[in-house]
Amino acid sequence: MHKATSSGRLINFYAMKQFIRRISGLFLVLGALAALLYGSAAMLGDADQAIPSLFQPSSGKRLLVSMEGYRFSQTEDGRIAWRMSARAADFYENKEAQLKDIEIVFHTPEGKSAALMGDLGSMDTVSGNASIRKGGRDVRIVTSQGYLMTTSSLFWKAGERAVRTADPFKVVGKEIYFEGVGLDADMDMRRVAVEGNVKAIFQE
């Protein structure tokens, strides 16, 4: 009876030793992990770019500055080829500007001009390309030759001084009226390509 009790005590003691070893091992692993995390945090400091993307905030546009009365222009041979102005502009770190009440005026070497106007838009501040859309009013182009174009949205290609839309549009001139869907044109309407649904009326 005594031996059985002693044997039982030995077995319990052995199990306890195994349990202690496992717990000690777990504490060692946790301690090492804590030290590693602390050391990493100390080395990284405020360097956000070194933090794995999994732990970074979701990517988004960060506002850098807002201003009233924004102007942007491009010159060629000492003259202003085109200029953009907006009543208000918000600039973001991804080189994008959100604009309100936009006007883009294009001047040719021959002295002709055309103005593009829209309520809302966004511009790539590196290339000057802009997407313009209607707010309360249609997007409009008025040329010095007497053409008026209206549509819901336009994409301004600064390098080519051209406009493009996939929306329905209308063009009114002194001797012509035409409408369609989808347009690619020079800013002054000297070259116009229409994608479809063209209806035109010529006046003498």
Side-chain angles (χ1 to χ4, degrees), residues 111-182:
K112 297 178 181 179
S113 64
L116 188 165
M117 293 161 283
D119 294 338
L120 304 168
S122 61
M123 183 184 71
D124 183 328
T125 58
V126 177
S127 66
N129 294 341
S131 296
I132 301 167
R133 61 190 184 279
K134 67 181 294 184
R137 300 169 296 174
D138 284 335
V139 178
R140 307 170 304 285
I141 295 179
V142 181
T143 74
S144 57
Q145 294 101 317
Y147 291 101
L148 168 65
M149 173 185 167
T150 58
T151 187
S152 295
S153 68
L154 274 176
F155 179 66
W156 156 253
K157 296 178 280 189
E160 303 172 33
R161 301 180 188 88
V163 291
R164 179 165 180 16
T165 182
D167 296 328
F169 69 89
K170 296 178 182 179
V171 175
V172 179
K174 295 177 181 178
E175 300 176 350
I176 188 174
Y177 165 86
F178 70 96
E179 62 183 56
V181 177

Side-chain angles (χ1 to χ4, degrees), residues 7-189:
S7 176
R9 288 177 181 174
L10 287 174
I11 292 172
N12 291 339
F13 181 70
Y14 177 78
M16 187 178 295
K17 286 177 65 178
Q18 291 296 100
F19 178 75
I20 291 172
R21 285 179 182 174
R22 290 175 185 170
I23 292 297
S24 299
L26 179 61
F27 284 148
L28 286 174
V29 171
L30 291 176
L33 181 59
L36 178 61
L37 292 175
Y38 178 80
S40 299
M43 286 188 296
L44 292 176
D46 294 330
D48 292 340
Q49 67 276 10
I51 300 175
S53 58
L54 178 64
F55 301 105
Q56 288 182 338
S58 58
S59 59
K61 297 184 297 184
R62 185 167 64 92
L63 179 64
L64 297 179
V65 65
S66 296
M67 66 171 61
E68 302 288 330
Y70 172 68
R71 291 179 179 272
F72 182 92
S73 63
Q74 180 176 328
T75 59
E76 291 181 358
D77 300 325
R79 67 175 184 87
I80 296 177
W82 63 271
R83 63 174 173 80
M84 174 187 287
S85 61
R87 177 178 58 82
D90 292 334
F91 295 90
Y92 295 85
E93 63 181 352
N94 64 345
K95 311 299 182 184
E96 178 184 330
Q98 294 290 332
L99 309 171
K100 294 180 181 179
D101 294 338
I102 310 132
E103 182 180 58
I104 299 173
V105 179
F106 167 67
H107 300 278
T108 69
E110 297 80 23
K112 297 178 181 179
S113 64
L116 188 165
M117 293 161 283
D119 294 338
L120 304 168
S122 61
M123 183 184 71
D124 183 328
T125 58
V126 177
S127 66
N129 294 341
S131 296
I132 301 167
R133 61 190 184 279
K134 67 181 294 184
R137 300 169 296 174
D138 284 335
V139 178
R140 307 170 304 285
I141 295 179
V142 181
T143 74
S144 57
Q145 294 101 317
Y147 291 101
L148 168 65
M149 173 185 167
T150 58
T151 187
S152 295
S153 68
L154 274 176
F155 179 66
W156 156 253
K157 296 178 280 189
E160 303 172 33
R161 301 180 188 88
V163 291
R164 179 165 180 16
T165 182
D167 296 328
F169 69 89
K170 296 178 182 179
V171 175
V172 179
K174 295 177 181 178
E175 300 176 350
I176 188 174
Y177 165 86
F178 70 96
E179 62 183 56
V181 177
L183 175 141
D184 197 335
D186 293 334
M187 183 72 167
D188 59 1
M189 297 292 160

